[in-house]
Amino acid sequence: EPEVTQTPSHQVTQMGQEVILRCVPISNHLYFYWYRQILGQKVEFLVSFYNNEISEKSEIFDDQFSVERPDGSNFTLKIRSTKLEDSAMYFCASSERGRSGEQYFGPGTRLTVT
Amino acid sequence: SQQGEEDPQALSIQEGENATMNCSYKTSINNLQWYRQNSGRGLVHLILIRSNEREKHSGRLRVTLDTSKKSSSLLITASRAADTASYFCATDEYNAGNMLTFGGGTRLMVKP
């Protein structure tokens, strides 16, 4: 069964460093998302992406964040200058349809900023 | 309270019993999705129920949706120890794009 994959599974970085989290969405899906879950808290929406552009973003997704689909399979989240409070589990998701489509999540990347 | 609040926050049952988890939300929605998360792992999609549907089944899962009460329930029948996980509802709000708003989850423990 097709699934969303994410790499790395765990990333440790120092404050102020740039990180790139990678995702391979399900191949026939057209809508891509990033969410995060700070330890012990709710899953929060960051950004959605369709047709090579951001369709929505939350207040969390400030200028330090960017997304890109560099080729036909990968979808990346970049954090330019990490802060301690960026430590969280980051989930990529994809859906075949936009409105009212099931969103399938990857296993997540645990980002630890020291 | 916030969109997508689950109740109870924690539930402990014996294997073979049924588990019922509830979710309440505040705004109009297009659909509501239920997910399972094993400790520290990814979110597994369980079931999606659309705003014009009242009940949906998938294996041992039964989901209901009452849009007049803005609530949903997830019933797991004949629970197994492997069902031990956190369960989240997530709403796709009407006129809010495709983003999902998650609740805080119910931690289910099924004792063998």
Side-chain angles (χ1 to χ4, degrees):
Chain A
E1 186 173 328
E3 57 184 22
V4 177
T5 60
Q6 290 185 242
T7 54
S9 57
H10 192 186
Q11 173 96 45
V12 181
T13 189
Q14 288 192 326
M15 196 167 51
Q17 296 296 303
E18 174 183 288
V19 295
I20 298 176
L21 310 183
R22 291 182 167 80
C23 168
V24 179
I26 295 172
S27 62
N28 64 331
H29 286 187
L30 301 176
Y31 297 82
F32 315 118
Y33 313 86
W34 284 101
Y35 293 80
R36 79 174 187 189
Q37 184 181 32
I38 295 171
L39 187 63
Q41 297 187 23
K42 295 183 181 183
V43 176
E44 302 172 289
F45 168 79
L46 294 178
V47 66
S48 60
F49 191 86
Y50 169 72
N51 200 25
N52 280 321
E53 59 183 30
I54 291 173
S55 39
E56 298 168 278
K57 60 183 181 179
S58 70
E59 291 177 353
I60 303 168
F61 194 87
D62 60 22
D63 292 344
Q64 293 299 311
F65 292 87
S66 63
V67 290
E68 191 179 29
R69 186 152 165 82
D71 53 44
S73 59
N74 290 284
F75 180 52
T76 63
L77 174 69
K78 181 192 292 186
I79 309 175
R80 287 189 185 81
S81 177
T82 50
K83 304 187 281 285
L84 294 176
E85 52 265 38
D86 293 328
S87 293
M89 182 77 95
Y90 288 80
F91 294 107
C92 173
S94 69
S95 64
E96 188 175 0
R97 294 178 292 159
R99 191 165 303 284
S100 291
E102 290 92 342
Q103 293 187 22
Y104 294 93
F105 283 69
T109 292
R110 180 166 298 285
L111 176 65
T112 302
V113 182
T114 61
Chain B
S1 62
Q2 299 178 33
Q3 186 82 346
E5 292 295 327
E6 285 90 341
D7 163 50
Q9 291 187 328
L11 180 62
S12 181
I13 58 174
Q14 293 294 133
E15 209 166 26
E17 294 180 340
N18 295 342
T20 299
M21 289 159 271
N22 303 296
C23 168
S24 60
Y25 58 92
K26 296 184 74 67
T27 65
S28 297
I29 61 172
N30 294 310
N31 66 64
L32 186 146
Q33 306 187 41
W34 283 92
Y35 290 86
R36 184 184 76 230
Q37 184 180 39
N38 290 83
S39 181
R41 309 287 290 276
L43 294 159
V44 175
H45 187 272
L46 296 176
I47 201 164
L48 177 152
I49 187 165
R50 304 191 191 288
S51 60
N52 61 352
E53 297 176 313
R54 292 296 166 258
E55 189 170 311
K56 208 161 180 181
H57 297 256
S58 176
R60 294 184 295 114
L61 305 180
R62 173 178 167 253
V63 168
T64 62
L65 179 64
D66 186 335
T67 53
S68 67
K69 294 181 180 177
K70 292 187 169 55
S71 67
S72 174
S73 68
L74 170 66
L75 168 67
I76 304 174
T77 59
S79 62
R80 305 167 182 167
D83 295 328
T84 295
S86 290
Y87 291 82
F88 297 88
C89 67
T91 51
D92 176 352
E93 297 176 32
Y94 186 71
N95 274 345
N98 305 330
M99 58 179 281
L100 293 179
T101 302
F102 281 79
T106 293
R107 292 186 309 280
L108 173 67
M109 175 172 288
V110 181
K111 300 175 186 174

